Amino acid sequence: MNLTTLGASGIECESVGLGTWAMGGWMWGGGDDAAAIAAIRASVDAGVRLIDTAPAYGLGHAETLVGTALKGRRHDAVIATKCGLVWHTQQGAHFFDEDGKPVHRYLGRASIFHEAEQSLARLQTDYIDLYITHWQDSTTPVAETMDALLELKRQGKIRAIGVSNAAPDTLAEYLRHGPVDAIQERYSLIDRDIESTLLPLCQEHGVASLGYSSLALGLLAGPIDPDRQFQGDDQRAGNPRFSTANRLRLSAFFEALTPVRQRLDCSYAQLMIAWTTRAGGVSTALCGARTPAQAIQNAGAARVTLDPAALAAIDAAARHHLASLD
């Protein structure tokens, strides 16, 4: 697999990482713990080292699954987790309710130290490779947040610092107070805003870029049956992007790319993941998986090389079929 380095940290990871949001169950219609643990192990076996998680993914549940899956093989993985979405305090601004608990955006110093200890315990490790501010907190100065992160780094509890869901001026403010090794932002063929906002800033400062939702919540993984129903609290049930009309547009899009997929001997999902890590894209694509089969397929995207003809075909198909995507 192609390797990338997380900023100046020296930490190496592949161009494909595993995202564990869906494993936590919340907003995904529940989960299967045994399948999730098997998927994490299958990812590592397939050459994926970066495992991305967060306390908010099931109020600590996803972190617990990661810790269980990596027990005895911690050094085979690069663990990224997050801070800043809290339910142990009502400081900061209320963001949402999860499982009946109010979750706030808060990045105060003492809260970050508390969160780090909780995450270390759930992950069954004594260090976190990449510690990321999950969502930004308008009630706490960035200087205070960064000071806490740098202290955790001095203590050896984290190895690198990341920032997620941040505007360019917020990232610039972090950089004024210390090194940022990586950003994590939404990025896919249909979510490309960071190409003109954050990615140039990352290139200027040597910051790695991790793209989440590389398959747009599964929309770009391949044709979806127009009659499929999403169950429980699955966020896709009420997402306009998953309307019947859009699913039909996506079917035509994938049909147009069938010759490319066949020539490169890859799946549609692998094609879309490879596109996100092309030159001009992100350093690493974070891809969710809930089963070993999905994890192994996603890992295979790191071995897909898109030549100029493939890139041109993808861009043409997107312009023709996805321009009117709701």
Side-chain angles (χ1 to χ4, degrees), residues 12-321:
E12 289 186 332
C13 61
E14 292 72 26
S15 59
V16 174
L18 174 67
T20 65
W21 179 14
M23 293 179 183
W26 170 65
M27 294 186 74
W28 289 91
D32 181 330
D33 289 356
I37 290 168
I40 295 167
R41 291 171 177 165
S43 287
V44 177
D45 290 342
V48 169
R49 277 182 290 179
L50 180 61
I51 311 297
D52 179 79
T53 190
Y57 301 164
L59 297 178
H61 190 59
E63 283 188 323
T64 299
L65 293 175
V66 171
T68 300
L70 295 179
K71 191 170 184 177
R73 56 186 313 182
R74 168 67 180 90
H75 296 291
D76 293 337
V78 171
I79 296 178
T81 194
K82 307 177 186 74
C83 60
L85 293 186
V86 300
W87 58 93
H88 69 277
T89 177
Q90 294 190 20
Q91 293 176 278
H94 178 261
F95 194 18
F96 53 78
D97 290 341
E98 182 176 347
D99 197 23
K101 294 184 179 180
V103 176
H104 289 237
R105 294 189 191 186
Y106 185 58
L107 287 165
R109 180 183 175 86
S111 182
I112 289 175
F113 292 154
H114 171 84
E115 283 202 85
E117 294 301 328
Q118 295 295 305
S119 290
L120 288 167
R122 287 189 289 258
L123 292 165
Q124 301 184 54
T125 184
D126 56 2
Y127 68 96
I128 294 163
D129 295 291
L130 177 63
Y131 203 39
I132 304 166
T133 56
H134 199 161
W135 285 84
Q136 302 311 305
D137 166 27
S138 62
T139 71
T140 302
V142 168
E144 177 182 338
T145 298
M146 196 60 165
D147 181 67
L149 296 173
L150 291 170
E151 177 59 29
L152 287 173
K153 194 173 180 180
R154 284 190 288 270
Q155 293 175 6
K157 293 181 178 179
I158 68 173
R159 298 176 64 201
I161 294 170
V163 177
S164 185
N165 299 304
D169 59 343
T170 303
L171 175 58
E173 179 68 8
Y174 273 97
L175 288 164
R176 279 193 283 272
H177 295 283
V180 174
D181 298 293
I183 64 165
Q184 185 177 130
E185 299 291 333
R186 183 170 67 170
Y187 185 68
S188 73
L189 183 64
I190 57 175
D191 295 298
R192 302 179 61 172
D193 291 347
I194 66 170
E195 289 178 358
S196 60
T197 57
L198 286 165
L199 291 186
L201 190 59
C202 288
Q203 185 173 14
E204 179 184 352
H205 292 276
V207 178
S209 52
L210 313 180
Y212 70 77
S213 203
S214 301
L215 295 174
L217 304 179
L219 194 66
L220 297 177
I224 302 174
D225 185 342
D227 295 324
R228 178 179 172 183
Q229 299 294 314
F230 296 99
Q231 304 298 320
D233 70 344
D234 194 320
Q235 61 189 299
R236 293 171 292 183
N239 189 328
R241 280 187 168 178
F242 286 81
S243 67
T244 298
N246 281 346
R247 294 187 208 185
L248 292 172
R249 292 187 184 98
L250 263 295
S251 293
F253 167 74
F254 287 119
E255 184 177 351
L257 290 181
T258 297
V260 178
R261 181 189 67 77
Q262 292 175 336
R263 179 170 65 83
L264 297 178
D265 190 24
C266 66
S267 69
Y268 291 117
Q270 290 171 335
L271 197 64
M272 292 295 94
I273 295 167
W275 181 91
T276 68
T277 59
R278 78 207 184 285
V282 292
S283 310
T284 296
L286 299 173
C287 308
R290 305 178 79 170
T291 67
Q294 290 173 345
I296 292 168
Q297 177 179 230
N298 291 345
R303 300 179 179 88
V304 176
T305 300
L306 300 182
D307 53 32
L311 290 170
I314 292 170
D315 287 341
R319 286 194 304 271
H320 187 69
H321 297 288

